[in-house]
Amino acid sequence: MDNKQITFVVNGLINHAPATDGDMSLIDYLHERVNLTGTKLCCGIGECRACTVATRNNPKAPMEATLACSTPVSSLMGLEIVTVEGLKQGDNILPLQQAFLQHFSFQCGYCTPGFLMATWILLQKLQMSPIPEQDLDAAIEKGVGRNICRCSGYVRYYEAIRELALPLTMEHLS
Ligand code: FES
Ligand code: FES
C-alpha cells in the first residue's frame, strides 16, 4: 500500500489524496480537488452543520453525520463518504427533496444540503431500525435538531421530515 496516499470513497468513486492534502478540511478537498461544491461552508467551526456529509467505515453500519468543515483529510482513510451530490438518482429527485420542495422548507437554501444529508441519514437509520411513533419527534430532534437555518425555516423542514419519517415507524410498517 502506498502510505503517501489517503484513500477513501466519495459518492462511489475512490479517491487517493496525497499526504500533502492531509491538513486540508474535507470541505476544501470536496470543493477544490473533486469539484463537488454542493456541501456548503457557513460557520466553519462545527456549529451550524451546513457542511454535513454522511460517512461510515463499515458498509454494514449506518451512515453518520460528519462536519466537513472540521474534518481533516488525514482522518478519512478507508471511509465511505456521501455528499449531497451523491443523493442524485438519475434524473429523478428523491422523495426527500420533493418533500422539502412541497413544504417550501427552505428560503435562501444555504442550509439545505446539510438538512438533506442529516435527514437522509435519519431516514436510513429508521429503515434499518424502526422505532415507535411516540419516539419519532425525539429521533428527529436528535438527527436534525442541531442544524441551523438562518432563515428560520425550521417548522417547514420539520413538517417535511416528519411526513417522510412517519411511515418508517413501527406502527406504520406493520
Ligand atoms: S460550516 Fe461546518 S458546522 Fe458550520
Ligand atoms: S433557508 Fe436560508 S439558511 Fe436555511
Side-chain angles (χ1 to χ4, degrees):
M1 185 177 78
D2 184 352
N3 61 11
K4 293 189 177 147
Q5 293 184 327
I6 303 154
T7 301
F8 50 95
V9 173
V10 180
N11 298 339
L13 296 176
I14 295 178
N15 280 251
H16 299 290
T20 48
D21 281 354
D23 289 339
M24 286 182 93
S25 65
L26 172 56
I27 192 164
D28 284 345
Y29 184 89
L30 293 171
H31 287 190
E32 295 172 22
R33 299 287 194 254
V34 287
N35 199 28
L36 293 173
T37 56
T39 303
K40 296 302 176 209
L41 181 68
C42 189
C43 71
I45 56 170
E47 293 291 336
C48 72
R49 306 182 83 81
C51 64
T52 300
V53 298
T55 65
R56 65 181 169 193
N57 59 11
N58 173 346
K60 291 188 179 156
M63 286 282 185
E64 300 291 343
T66 294
L67 301 180
C69 73
S70 47
T71 300
V73 169
S74 59
S75 70
L76 302 177
M77 191 71 175
L79 285 193
E80 177 187 355
I81 299 164
V82 177
T83 71
V84 69
E85 291 91 345
L87 300 188
K88 198 165 184 289
Q89 292 181 339
D91 291 332
N92 300 321
I93 64 170
L94 294 178
L96 165 55
Q97 294 163 307
Q98 188 69 44
F100 280 10
L101 282 170
Q102 281 174 341
H103 284 267
F104 298 102
S105 299
F106 49 87
Q107 294 173 54
C108 79
Y110 205 81
C111 66
T112 307
F115 271 94
L116 281 168
M117 295 312 301
T119 305
W120 184 72
I121 293 165
L122 169 66
L123 295 176
Q124 287 210 331
K125 284 184 176 170
L126 291 175
Q127 275 168 347
M128 290 173 87
S129 307
I131 59 173
E133 183 177 340
Q134 65 180 15
D135 295 339
L136 183 57
D137 289 341
I140 294 172
E141 179 63 27
K142 185 173 174 209
V144 187
R146 288 175 295 160
N147 284 60
I148 292 174
C149 173
R150 294 171 300 172
C151 301
S152 298
Y154 300 108
V155 172
R156 289 174 173 175
Y157 270 130
Y158 184 87
E159 286 172 353
I161 294 165
R162 202 171 201 289
E163 182 178 286
L164 291 158
L166 190 59
L168 301 175
T169 55
M170 286 172 173
E171 291 84 344
H172 291 262
L173 287 171
S174 54

